[in-house]
C-alpha cells in the first residue's frame, strides 16, 4: 500500500499511542478529530468548544465478502478503545460511552496504526478477518498564506482497499453520521435524542459522480444557534443510502443487505442495471419527532480481483452560521446587557451559501487542495529534521484551526487563550473558550499564526489599536465582543485586573512584526500615532525614576502584578524601544526615533547593572527590606524561565542585542541548568500538573540559591510549553544547541501521543495559544528571519536541510557539497538581500543555473536587480 511521500512520522500502534487525536477542520469552522483507534471524536462544529463532544452514530464500517473460500464479515473501522491513561488534565484518549457500546455489540478491527503530519492523518485497519489491506487518509485543506483554502468547514477521507490475495473480494464501505442540526454542541446525546432535535430531515442527491445525503432541520428559525446544514458524500453515484436510522444494528443490517446475484455482486453491474437501493432496509419516513434526530449512512460497493485496488473518497461538510457570544466575558457584571445575545457570525458563512455549497467547492477542487496541502507537508517531511520535529512543528497550526480561534462574519479574527476542558474545570467549567478574548499577554508568545496567516494576525493588531486602545494610550489585554460594545476601561479585567504591561509592550513588537511580514508602510503609518500614544503611556506610568527601568506595579501574564525592576518586563521594554526606533525611522519621525534610542541606551545599561548577578538576571525588590515584607507573587532572586523574553523577540525581528551578549548567553544557559527538571515523581506543588512521573519539563521559576518567597510568583512550579519553546528557540539563536534540544526533547516526549496529544498542547485549556511559540523554534533552527518590505532574508549556514515559511511562499534551505541552495516549493520568494550567518563573505549566485548579478555588502549578499523564485525554482550560492 502506497501513499504520497508528504507525510513523515513513525507509524504508531493505536493502543499504545491512544492520545493521538488530530483535529479536522478549517480556520474558524470548528472541527472533529480522527483518533489513533480510528474513531471520530471531539465534535465541535457548533460554535462552541467541547473537547468531549460526542456525536453517536458517526463512524465508518466495512463489510467484506468472498465466495471461495467462503467469508462474510462486518467490522466497525475502529479498534477497541483502551482504558484511559489517566494523565492529569488531558482527555484526548477518552472514548465516549456510545463508541464502547457500539464495539461491544459489533466487532471492531483487531488493531490500528496511526501516523500523520498535520493536517494529514493516516490510519491502517488491521484484522485477520480482512483478506485485503484497508487504510484511510484524513485531512482538511491547509495552505499557509491562503486563508480561504485553509478555512473550509469539512473533513475529507480517502479509503484505500487493496486485494493482494489470490481470490476476488467484494463488499461495502459504510460511512455514517448523525444529523446534528439543532444540537447545542454541549448537551449529552442519548442515541438520537437531545434537546434541540426535532424536524430533522435527510435527503439523497446523485450527481457529478457522487452520492450525497443532505442533513437539515426545517423546524429551526434561521437565527437559531443550531440552525445550519450538513452533507455526507461519497464519490460513487451507485452508493446505497440509508437516510433515516436510529440504532447501529440498523446500519449493520444495511451493510449486510448488499445482495449478490448469480455469483456476481449486483452493485458491480452496469449503472443502468444496478439499483443502489435494492435490498436496502426500509428507512423511516418524514421529519424526526420532537427531541430526536436521524442518522444517515452511505454504502459504497466494491469488487476487487486479485492485485486490484480501489480508493473511495468520503466528504463531511457542515455549515453553522450563527455564532453568538456564548462565553462569559471577563470584567465586571453588566446588567445593562439584559437578555441580549450578541451575534458574531462566522466568516466562512459569508463565503458559502450552505454545506452543499461547501461540498461543491470540494468536489471541484479536491485534488488541487490536496496537492497544495501536500506541498506544505512535503516541505516539512522532505527536510533534514527528525520525525519528532516534523510532527510537532507541523502540529503548531492545529491550534490556529481549533475552537481556540474564530473569525466573525465581519472578517475580524478573534481568539481565546484556549478551549475549556480538563485543565480549566477548577474555575470556569468545561465548555467554550478559555479566558476571552484576544489576550495580548498570552498571544505575546504566539508566532505560528503570524507566520502562516499574516493577514489574520494583522487583524488582531487592528483590533488592539482601533478598538481596545483607550484615549489615554493604554490597551486593556482583552477585547469585548462584539466590538461595538464598551471596552474594558477603568475597571477590573481579570488575569490580571489591570491592563497587562507585557501585553502592551508586545503590541509594539507585534506591530513591527506585521509590518515586516508584509502589512506595508501605509498600514504602519496609519497606526503609528496609536503606537506613540501607547509608548507615551508606558513611559510616563512606569519609567519614572530616571534610570530608564520600569518600576511600580506591572500587571503580567502570570495573572498577578510584578513590582520593581525585573528582566521579564525589562527586556520586553528594551525590545519595544528598539522596534519603535526602527518604525519611527520608517515613517520619518526622526525626533521620536532619537528619543527611543536615548531611552533604550539608558535602560539597557541600568537593567544590566542592577539585575545581572554574574549568572542570571533577577528581580530587585525594596533593597534592604526583609523579603518577608515583599508583596506577594514576586520571584526576587529566583531564576525565571522567561527572564530574556524580550531578547527572544529581538532576535526574531533583527533588533540586535538588548543586553551584553555574553551576559545573555550566560543567563540563558543558567535557565536551562536550573529550571529543566527531569522526573516529577517526588515533586509536589499546588498548581496545575503539566508534567508528572518520569517527564522532563522546564519550570516557570526556580530558586537555585535559596530565597524562595513565602508566596512566590504564581505558577512558579508549572511547566508551560510556550515558555519552553521560547527558551529553546532562544538557545538555538545563541548557539546553545545542546540546551535548546534538551528543552525541545522534554516537550516532545511529554506530547508524543502515549500520555498526551502532540496536536493539543495544553495550559489553561486545550489547544492553548501560548504553545504557538513553538514556531519560533523552527525559525531558530534555520536561523531564519525575513523582512518582506526590504526583500531581506537571513539564514544560518545550514548543517541539514531546513524548512522555512516567508510572507509570500515557503521552501527549503540546504547545503549541497560546497554550495548553498534555496528552493521555493510553493508561492514565490522575492529577494533583494540574503545574509548567511557563519557563511562566506562573497558568493556567486544563479537561479536554475542562470547567473544573477550580486554584490557584497556588510549586510549580506545583495541582488541589485532583485530576484523572484517561483515554485520549483532554485537559487544556488557558490562561495568565491
Amino acid at each position: 500500500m502506497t501513499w504520497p511521500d508528504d507525510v513523515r512520522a513513525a507509524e504508531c500502534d493505536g493502543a499504545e499511542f491512544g492520545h493521538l487525536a488530530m483535529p479536522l477542520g478549517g480556520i474558524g469552522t470548528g472541527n472533529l478529530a480522527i483518533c489513533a483507534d480510528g474513531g471520530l471524536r471531539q465534535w465541535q462544529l457548533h460554535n462552541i468548544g467541547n473537547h468531549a463532544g460526542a456525536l453517536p452514530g458517526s463512524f465508518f464500517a466495512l463489510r467484506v465478502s468472498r465466495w471461495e473460500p467462503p467469508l462474510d464479515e462486518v467490522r466497525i473501522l475502529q479498534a477497541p478503545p483502551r482504558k484511559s491513561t489517566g494523565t492529569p488534565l488531558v482527555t484526548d484518549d477518552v472514548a465516549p460511552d456510545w463508541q464502547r457500546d457500539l464495539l461491544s455489540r459489533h466487532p471492531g478491527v483487531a488493531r490500528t496504526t496511526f501516523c500523520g503530519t498535520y493536517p494529514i492523518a493516516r490510519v491502517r485497519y488491521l484484522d485477520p478477518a480482512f483478506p485485503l489491506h484497508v487504510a484511510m487518509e484524513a485531512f482538511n485543506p491547509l495552505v499557509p498564506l491562503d486563508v480561504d483554502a485553509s478555512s473550509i468547514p469539512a473533513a475529507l477521507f480517502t479509503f484505500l482497499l487493496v486485494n493482494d490475495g489470490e481470490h476476488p473480494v467484494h463488499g461495502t464501505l459504510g460511512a455514517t453520521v448523525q444529523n446534528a442540526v439543532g444540537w447545542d454542541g454541549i448537551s449529552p446525546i442519548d442515541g438520537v435524542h437531545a434537546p434541540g432535535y426535532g424536524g430533522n430531515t435527510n435527503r439523497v442527491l446523485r450527481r457529478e459522480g457522487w452520492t450525497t445525503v443532505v442533513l437539515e432541520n426545517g423546524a429551526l428559525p434561521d437565527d437559531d444557534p443550531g440552525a445550519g446544514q450538513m452533507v455526507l458524500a461519497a464519490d460513487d453515484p451507485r452508493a446505497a443510502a440509508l437516510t433515516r436510522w436510529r440504532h447501529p444494528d440498523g446500519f449493520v443490517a444495511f451493510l449486510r443487505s448488499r445482495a449478490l446475484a448469480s455469483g456476481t455482486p449486483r452493485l458491480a453491474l452496469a449503472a443502468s442495471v444496478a439499483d443502489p437501493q435494492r435490498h436496502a432496509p426500509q428507512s423511516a419516513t418524514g421529519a424526526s419527532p420532537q427531541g430526536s434526530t436521524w442518522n444517515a449512512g452511505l454504502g459504497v460497493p466494491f469488487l476487487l480481483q486479485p492485485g486490484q485496488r480501489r480508493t473511495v473518497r468520503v466528504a463531511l461538510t457542515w455549515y453553522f452560521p450563527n455564532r453568538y457570544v456564548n462565553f462569559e466575558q471577563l470584567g465586571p457584571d453588566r446588567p445593562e446587557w439584559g437578555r441580549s445575545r450578541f451575534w458574531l457570525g462566522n466568516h466562512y458563512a459569508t463565503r458559502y451559501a450552505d454545506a452543499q455549497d461547501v461540498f461543491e467547492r470540494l468536489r471541484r477542487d479536491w485534488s488541487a487542495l490536496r496537492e497544495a496541502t501536500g506541498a506544505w507537508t512535503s516541505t516539512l517531511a522532505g527536510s533534514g529534521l527528525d520525525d519528532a520535529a516534523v510532527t510537532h512543528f507541523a502540529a503548531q497550526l492545529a491550534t490556529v484551526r481549533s475552537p481556540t480561534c474564530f473569525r466573525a462574519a465581519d472578517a475580524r479574527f478573534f481568539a481565546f487563550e484556549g478551549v475549556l476542558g480538563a485543565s480549566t474545570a477548577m474555575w470556569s467549567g468545561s465548555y467554550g473558550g478559555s479566558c476571552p478574548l484576544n489576550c495580548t499577554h498570552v498571544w505575546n508568545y504566539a508566532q505560528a499564526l503570524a507566520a502562516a496567516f499574516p493577514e489574520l494576525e494583522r487583524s488582531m493588531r487592528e483590533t488592539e489599536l482601533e478598538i481596545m486602545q483607550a484615549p489615554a494610550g493604554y490597551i486593556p489585554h482583552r477585547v469585548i465582543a462584539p466590538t461595538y460594545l464598551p471596552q474594558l476601561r477603568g475597571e477590573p479585567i481579570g488575569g490580571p485586573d489591570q491592563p497587562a504591561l507585557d501585553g502592551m509592550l508586545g503590541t509594539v513588537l507585534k506591530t513591527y512584526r506585521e509590518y515586516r511580514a508584509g502589512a506595508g508602510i501605509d498600514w504602519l503609518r496609519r497606526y503609528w500615532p496609536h503606537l506613540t500614544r501607547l509608548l507615551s503611556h508606558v513611559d510616563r506610568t512606569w519609567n519614572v525614576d530616571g534610570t530608564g527601568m520600569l518600576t511600580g506595579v506591572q500587571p503580567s501574564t502570570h495573572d498577578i502584578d510584578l513590582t520593581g525592576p525585573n528582566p521579564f518586563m525589562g527586556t520586553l521594554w528594551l525590545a519595544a524601544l528598539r522596534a519603535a526606533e526602527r518604525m519611527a525611522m520608517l515613517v520619518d519621525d526622526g525626533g521620536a526615533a532619537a528619543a527611543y534610542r536615548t531611552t533604550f541606551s539608558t535602560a539597557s545599561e541600568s537593567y544590566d547593572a542592577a539585575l545581572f548577578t554574574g549568572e542570571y538576571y533577577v528581580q530587585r525588590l525594596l533593597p534592604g527590606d526583609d523579603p518577608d515584607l515583599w508583596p506577594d507573587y514576586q520571584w526576587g532572586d529566583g531564576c525565571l524561565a522567561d527572564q530574556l523574553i524580550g531578547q527572544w523577540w529581538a532576535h526574531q525581528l533583527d533588533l540586535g542585542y538588548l543586553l551584553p551578549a555574553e551576559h545573555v548567553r550566560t543567563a540563558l544557559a543558567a535557565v536551562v541548568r536550573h529550571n529543566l527538571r527531569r522526573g516529577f515523581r517526588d515533586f509536589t506543588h499546588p498548581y496545575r500538573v503539566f508534567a508528572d512521573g518520569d517527564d522532563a519539563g522546564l519550570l516557570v521559576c526556580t530558586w537555585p540559591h535559596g530565597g524562595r518567597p513565602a508566596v512566590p510568583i504564581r505558577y512558579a512550579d508549572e511547566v508551560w510549553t510556550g515558555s519552553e519553546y521560547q527558551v529553546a528557540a532562544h538557545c538555538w539563536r545563541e548557539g546553545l544547541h545542546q540546551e535548546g534540544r534538551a528543552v525541545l526533547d522534554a516537550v516532545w516526549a511529554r506530547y508524543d501521543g502515549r500520555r498526551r496529544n502532540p496536536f493539543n498542547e495544553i495550559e489553561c485549556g486545550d489547544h492553548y495559544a501560548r504553545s504557538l511559540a513553538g514556531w519560533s523554534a523552527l525559525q531558530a533552527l534555520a536561523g531564519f528571519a525575513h523582512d518582506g518590505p526590504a526583500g531581506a532574508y537571513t539564514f544560518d549556514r545550514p548543517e541539514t536541510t531546513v524548512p522555512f515559511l516567508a510572507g509570500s511562499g515557503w521552501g527549503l534551505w540546504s547545503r549541497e557539497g560546497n554550495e548553498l541552495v534555496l528552493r521555493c516549493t510553493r508561492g514565490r520568494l522575492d529577494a533583494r538581500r540574503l545574509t548567511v550567518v557563519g557563511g562566506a563573505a562573497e558568493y556567486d549566485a544563479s537561479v536554475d543555473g542562470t547567473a544573477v548579478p550580486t554584490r557584497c555588502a556588510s549586510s549580506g549578499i545583495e541582488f541589485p536587480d532583485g530576484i523572484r523564485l517561483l515554485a520549483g525554482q532554485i537559487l544556488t550560492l557558490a562561495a568565491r
Side-chain angles (χ1 to χ4, degrees):
M1 302 178 67
T2 59
W3 296 101
D5 60 357
D6 47 16
V7 165
R8 181 153 64 84
E11 193 172 36
C12 301
D13 181 80
E16 182 182 359
F17 291 80
H19 282 265
L20 289 168
M22 183 185 288
L24 301 172
I27 301 169
T29 69
N31 55 250
L32 63 147
I34 177 68
C35 299
D37 62 7
L40 301 176
R41 297 198 273 274
Q42 300 176 13
W43 291 82
Q44 303 174 98
L45 314 182
H46 292 72
N47 304 315
I48 189 165
N50 179 6
H51 208 65
L55 198 60
S58 304
F59 57 90
F60 299 112
L62 187 69
R63 180 196 181 191
V64 179
S65 298
R66 186 176 57 204
W67 303 283
E68 293 181 359
L71 175 73
D72 190 21
E73 295 287 346
V74 175
R75 292 288 185 271
I76 307 301
L77 291 180
Q78 182 177 347
R82 299 301 197 263
K83 183 179 179 181
S84 172
T85 61
T87 308
L89 307 184
V90 298
T91 57
D92 288 288
D93 66 332
V94 176
D97 290 341
W98 79 265
Q99 287 185 350
R100 294 184 178 276
D101 179 66
L102 171 67
L103 293 169
S104 71
R105 300 175 62 85
H106 303 285
V109 297
R111 69 185 187 94
T112 58
T113 66
F114 181 103
C115 70
T117 299
Y118 182 81
I120 302 171
R122 291 174 183 159
V123 179
R124 284 203 301 150
Y125 306 95
L126 306 172
D127 196 285
F130 285 167
L132 72 169
H133 291 291
V134 183
M136 180 266 288
E137 177 183 274
F139 84 107
N140 175 282
L142 171 63
V143 187
L145 311 178
D146 188 338
V147 174
D148 178 67
S150 305
S151 304
I152 302 175
L156 307 181
F157 308 90
T158 300
F159 288 86
L160 177 61
L161 311 174
V162 181
N163 183 1
D164 61 356
E166 299 177 353
H167 307 281
V169 176
H170 61 90
T172 305
L173 175 69
T176 178
V177 71
Q178 183 164 111
N179 182 334
V181 182
W183 185 39
D184 61 13
I186 297 177
S187 300
I189 302 172
D190 181 10
V192 292
H193 303 283
Y197 283 163
N200 298 74
T201 59
N202 302 334
R203 54 190 172 92
V204 178
L205 300 174
R206 300 180 190 276
R207 60 190 180 196
E208 303 291 342
W210 287 74
T211 300
T212 64
V213 184
V214 181
L215 295 76
E216 299 171 304
N217 187 335
L220 298 173
D222 288 345
D223 64 348
D224 191 275
Q229 188 183 74
M230 300 168 67
V231 165
L232 177 68
D235 65 342
D236 190 329
R238 300 167 301 158
L242 187 65
T243 55
R244 300 174 185 86
W245 61 273
R246 293 176 177 273
H247 195 277
D249 292 356
F251 189 71
V252 171
F254 164 72
L255 293 180
R256 291 192 178 280
S257 74
R258 306 297 82 215
L260 307 181
S262 303
T264 303
R266 175 170 297 277
L267 293 181
L269 299 177
S272 60
V273 177
D275 175 6
Q277 297 303 111
R278 190 172 182 177
H279 305 292
Q282 180 66 45
S283 289
T285 59
S288 63
Q290 184 68 29
S292 68
T293 187
W294 305 115
N295 301 321
L298 295 172
V300 179
F302 63 87
L303 170 62
L304 295 173
Q305 299 295 337
Q308 284 188 328
R309 63 177 53 209
R310 167 80 186 276
T311 60
V312 178
R313 291 181 295 171
V314 175
L316 174 66
T317 66
W318 58 88
Y319 180 89
F320 293 99
N322 295 321
R323 179 183 296 273
Y324 290 91
V325 176
N326 55 9
F327 47 89
E328 294 294 331
Q329 307 211 60
L330 275 71
D333 292 335
R334 297 174 177 84
E336 67 273 16
W337 288 0
R339 297 174 179 267
S340 301
R341 58 173 190 173
F342 297 107
W343 186 83
L344 298 172
N346 281 317
H347 188 262
Y348 77 78
T350 69
R351 172 67 175 82
Y352 304 101
D354 51 27
Q356 293 182 81
D357 195 22
V358 177
F359 168 71
E360 285 301 312
R361 191 278 173 90
L362 292 170
R363 182 187 61 78
R364 294 189 309 268
D365 298 342
W366 184 307
S367 296
L369 290 166
R370 177 58 181 82
E371 180 182 2
T373 301
W376 169 242
T377 57
S378 63
T379 298
L380 296 171
S383 72
L385 302 179
D386 59 38
D387 288 352
V390 170
T391 294
H392 289 273
F393 287 138
Q396 281 279 291
L397 295 181
T399 293
V400 170
R401 305 205 307 166
S402 74
T404 294
C405 304
F406 67 92
R407 201 177 182 200
D410 64 1
R412 200 175 290 275
F413 184 85
F414 293 98
F416 300 95
E417 292 185 26
V419 180
L420 293 173
S423 66
T424 58
M426 70 286 188
W427 72 274
S428 54
S430 299
Y431 310 111
S434 168
C435 307
L437 199 58
N438 288 29
C439 180
T440 59
H441 59 67
V442 168
W443 279 83
N444 265 0
Y445 293 76
Q447 302 295 335
L449 178 68
F453 303 105
E455 67 184 89
L456 299 183
E457 187 72 54
R458 192 156 61 239
S459 170
M460 298 182 82
R461 301 295 81 70
E462 291 165 358
T463 297
E464 289 165 9
L465 297 171
E466 293 174 358
I467 304 297
M468 298 164 64
Q469 187 172 31
Y474 67 84
I475 297 178
H477 51 276
R478 305 190 192 277
V479 65
I480 298 297
T483 57
Y484 56 74
L485 293 173
Q487 297 301 308
L488 293 161
R489 312 271 173 78
E491 54 194 4
I493 299 170
D497 280 346
Q498 299 304 309
L501 175 57
D502 48 341
M504 286 187 264
L505 297 172
T507 292
V508 178
L509 294 165
K510 288 177 280 191
T511 301
Y512 184 46
R513 179 188 62 192
E514 271 60 276
Y515 162 77
R516 286 166 55 95
I521 190 63
D522 290 339
W523 183 86
L524 181 59
R525 290 185 189 279
R526 184 183 317 135
Y527 293 107
W528 180 241
H530 295 265
L531 295 177
T532 57
R533 197 159 68 246
L534 171 60
L535 286 163
S536 293
H537 169 77
V538 173
D539 188 74
R540 67 175 176 266
T541 305
W542 289 283
N543 178 22
V544 296
D545 65 359
T547 66
M549 295 189 292
L550 304 182
T551 59
V553 174
Q554 302 161 54
S556 84
T557 194
H558 308 90
D559 297 337
I560 47 84
D561 297 331
L562 301 176
T563 62
N566 67 85
F568 177 75
M569 290 298 181
T571 58
L572 284 171
W573 170 233
L574 293 172
L577 288 168
R578 269 277 173 83
E581 178 189 348
R582 295 277 181 90
M583 289 186 283
M585 295 170 65
L586 288 165
V587 300
D588 301 319
D589 190 344
Y596 296 137
R597 188 181 312 119
T598 299
T599 302
F600 170 85
S601 179
T602 301
S604 177
E605 292 181 6
S606 296
Y607 275 115
D608 190 64
L611 307 184
F612 188 63
T613 65
E615 186 181 13
Y616 55 84
Y617 289 89
V618 298
Q619 177 189 30
R620 294 301 185 200
L621 289 161
L622 304 175
D625 284 353
D626 185 339
D628 291 338
L629 302 179
W630 289 350
D632 289 345
Y633 302 117
Q634 309 304 306
W635 81 85
D637 291 335
C639 182
L640 186 75
D642 283 336
Q643 64 184 262
L644 293 168
I645 186 173
Q647 186 62 67
W648 168 71
W649 264 106
H651 284 321
Q652 294 178 85
L653 299 179
D654 290 326
L655 297 176
Y657 277 95
L658 310 177
L659 297 162
E662 63 275 16
H663 292 182
V664 167
R665 282 188 285 271
T666 297
L668 194 58
V671 166
V672 178
R673 184 168 64 253
H674 295 311
N675 293 31
L676 183 59
R677 182 181 179 90
R678 293 176 173 87
F680 285 80
R681 291 188 180 277
D682 60 346
F683 188 77
T684 60
H685 63 81
Y687 298 113
R688 298 162 297 188
V689 178
F690 300 131
D692 68 336
D694 295 326
D695 289 336
L698 192 77
L699 295 170
V700 168
C701 194
T702 63
W703 285 264
H705 307 300
R708 176 175 174 135
V711 182
I713 186 170
R714 185 173 285 168
Y715 314 126
D717 300 316
E718 291 187 353
V719 173
W720 290 358
T721 58
S723 293
E724 289 176 299
Y725 281 132
Q726 180 266 123
V727 169
H730 191 181
C731 283
W732 221 274
R733 297 279 188 181
E734 300 291 349
L736 301 172
H737 296 167
Q738 183 175 352
E739 291 87 345
R741 186 66 204 221
V743 176
L744 290 178
D745 285 345
V747 182
W748 295 345
R750 295 201 311 275
Y751 285 91
D752 69 351
R754 289 180 174 90
R755 300 186 68 246
R756 297 176 183 85
N757 184 6
F759 309 108
N760 174 26
E761 293 175 335
I762 70 165
E763 194 188 308
C764 189
D766 292 295
H767 301 289
Y768 198 73
R770 198 188 315 267
S771 69
L772 294 172
W775 197 266
S776 69
L778 176 59
Q779 294 170 318
L781 289 176
F784 177 68
H786 178 229
D787 183 343
Y793 294 77
T794 301
F795 293 95
D796 285 344
R797 186 173 181 270
E799 297 301 320
T800 186
T801 301
V802 288
F804 67 92
L805 173 58
S808 56
W810 64 80
L812 293 165
W813 171 245
S814 62
R815 185 176 65 194
E816 299 180 6
N818 294 322
E819 296 179 333
L820 304 180
V821 177
L822 183 69
R823 286 181 170 84
C824 179
T825 58
R826 183 82 180 182
R828 72 176 196 279
L829 304 173
D830 296 314
R832 290 189 291 277
R833 185 173 71 250
L834 193 153
T835 302
V836 181
V837 179
E842 299 184 25
Y843 291 89
D844 292 320
S846 62
V847 175
D848 287 350
T850 301
V852 295
T854 64
R855 63 171 172 246
C856 180
S858 59
S859 57
I861 311 156
E862 292 187 352
F863 305 101
D865 301 328
I867 58 171
R868 168 169 291 183
L869 299 183
L870 301 178
Q873 291 189 304
I874 298 175
L875 169 68
T876 302
L877 302 175
R880 290 178 186 172

